[in-house]
Amino acid sequence: MDKRLIWLAVGAFATSTVAFVFAGLLPLISASAGISVSDAGHLVTAYSLAYAIGTPILSAIAGAADRRRVIALALVCFMAGNGLAAASDSFFTLLCAQVIMGMSAGLFAATAQATAVALASPEHRTRAVATVLGGTTFAVALGAPLAALVGNLAGWRSAYLVVACLALICLTVLWTQLPRGLPGLKLSLSERIAALGRPGILPSLGVTLLYLTGAFMIIAYMAPLALAAGLPVAVLPGMLLAFGIGAVAGNYASGVLADRLGPSRMIVMALLASASICVAMSAIIELLPPELAGPLLVGIMLPWGFIGWTFPPAQASRLVGHAPELANLTLPLNVSAMYFGIAAGSFIGGRLLEIAPASELGLAAAAFPLAALVVIALTRKSRRATIPVG
């Protein structure tokens, strides 16, 4: 395997860790800033919106520019955002830092995947992209819990500094190893979003958005859930680790299961299972005493991570199936839909915490994968209605 792909994956690991570490840092940040955890959740919303909106815009602006320079610029801005977060003296400054990190992380992700394709031979391009995306998976499994642990031991600012140092190492290696003059694909923003008009694309993106909305109503606010179950905040790195281990296993199993069952069946199963686990979380906290609720909530993280991470690969496969020739456009749009969902989930979850106990998060979150199932059913019904008879 080309070693440069590994370093692109490490860059994806560093830039993606920030997106998933919030669950472990929000209680620390809220205590430091003197605000509620739900208000601190605006950081997740700001980062995710910047990622979702900034990625297609910045990718269009970067156009055919040298990918080596674009990757370097993205990593430099990402490090600057982490440095600003670590040095911030107000919540507003920290919010601005999230916007910088979100936009630069999105630009890096899009450019790194395109660079992986350019570096690989035609028969190995899928494997090359999978290698880079593997960095994101391991960010969930290892990056988030480790950064949360660092934050709990040495303060939340240190977590940002550690991520920035890792990004610096990646920048140094990639700047020296990537070839000069590797051009990007010049597409306007209108060309990038034109794929939305193809049959099946927009409903599929809606399914992605709804699924991630429900998931991040819980992921972003694991701390209030843990407290409601009688657990200390210090247990959050362990919860994130259990979720991450399940995510790695689910990501691997998804490809095998989708090949056997088909991506559509895999997605339906993931949506149903996710809604069931969300309801189970609320039931555990509401109905059981703390000595049982706490351990069960930690234990359910692993199967929830497994189920949660069977969805993205199957959904990507289903999306590509709608228009294989537009995969280079539809897959980035799917990533934007994911981060719009993360932003929506963190915002809705935060507002719910202002008016209801944390135990209600699971019940509310379950509504979104169920809504995604309705979208799938209506899309299928619409397709049948448009198929001519005879």
Side-chain angles (χ1 to χ4, degrees):
M1 180 185 293
D2 192 326
K3 292 181 179 179
R4 293 172 294 187
L5 296 177
I6 295 176
W7 282 103
L8 287 171
V10 175
F13 174 88
T15 54
S16 299
T17 291
V18 173
F20 296 99
V21 75
F22 283 113
L25 296 185
L26 285 186
L28 305 175
I29 293 173
S30 66
S32 174
I35 57 176
S36 67
V37 172
S38 59
D39 284 339
H42 288 307
L43 297 174
V44 189
T45 304
Y47 176 93
S48 303
L49 283 177
Y51 195 116
I53 298 172
T55 299
I57 294 175
L58 293 178
S59 296
I61 292 173
D66 183 351
R67 291 176 185 176
R68 174 172 170 266
R69 293 182 180 274
V70 175
I71 283 176
L73 176 62
L75 287 175
V76 167
C77 292
F78 180 75
M79 289 187 296
N82 277 270
L84 181 61
S88 60
D89 56 359
S90 68
F91 186 73
F92 177 76
T93 305
L94 187 55
L95 204 64
C96 292
Q98 306 310 312
V99 173
I100 295 171
M101 283 187 278
M103 295 182 73
S104 54
L107 179 60
F108 175 86
T111 309
Q113 291 178 42
T115 303
V117 170
L119 292 175
S121 56
E123 65 273 16
H124 292 138
R125 284 176 178 172
T126 301
R127 185 182 301 176
V129 173
T131 299
V132 176
L133 292 177
T136 300
T137 304
F138 278 96
V140 180
L142 298 175
L146 286 176
L149 181 61
V150 169
N152 276 272
L153 294 177
W156 62 265
R157 299 175 190 274
S158 61
Y160 286 109
L161 293 176
V162 169
V163 172
C165 289
L166 182 58
L168 177 60
I169 296 172
C170 291
L171 171 63
T172 303
V173 174
L174 291 173
W175 181 256
T176 58
Q177 296 298 316
L178 289 179
R180 299 172 183 269
L182 193 64
L185 180 64
K186 187 171 180 59
L187 291 171
S188 67
L189 183 60
S190 60
E191 288 174 317
R192 291 175 184 272
I193 63 176
L196 292 174
R198 293 292 293 270
I201 299 299
L202 193 57
S204 292
L205 296 179
V207 169
T208 297
L209 186 148
L210 288 168
Y211 182 80
L212 268 295
T213 298
F216 268 80
M217 285 183 66
I218 293 178
I219 292 175
Y221 300 106
M222 278 190 187
L225 278 172
L227 291 173
L231 294 169
V233 172
V235 81
L236 286 176
M239 293 177 68
L240 287 170
L241 180 61
F243 178 85
I245 292 172
V248 171
N251 186 72
Y252 173 78
S254 180
V256 178
L257 293 172
D259 286 342
R260 292 182 180 179
L261 304 174
S264 293
R265 288 184 180 178
M266 190 69 241
I267 289 166
V268 170
M269 291 171 59
L271 292 170
L272 287 171
S274 179
S276 299
I277 286 189
C278 288
V279 172
M281 289 183 189
S282 285
I284 286 171
I285 296 173
E286 286 281 359
L287 303 177
L288 298 178
E291 56 268 21
L292 291 177
L296 280 176
L297 186 64
V298 174
I300 207 172
M301 288 294 118
L302 194 147
W304 187 46
F306 180 90
I307 290 166
W309 235 250
T310 59
F311 175 85
Q315 175 69 347
S317 176
R318 180 171 177 264
L319 190 62
V320 170
H322 288 305
E325 74 281 6
L326 296 178
N328 63 318
L329 298 176
T330 56
L331 289 178
L333 288 173
N334 190 51
V335 174
S336 285
M338 290 175 66
Y339 277 87
F340 274 122
I342 293 172
S346 58
F347 179 81
I348 296 171
R351 305 295 67 76
L352 180 61
L353 285 176
E354 293 176 350
I355 60 174
S359 58
E360 300 292 330
L361 281 174
L363 292 175
F368 289 90
L370 293 177
L373 285 170
V374 174
V375 172
I376 292 174
L378 291 176
T379 303
R380 287 178 177 174
K381 183 178 180 180
S382 176
R383 281 186 176 181
R384 293 193 190 103
T386 57
I387 295 175
V389 179

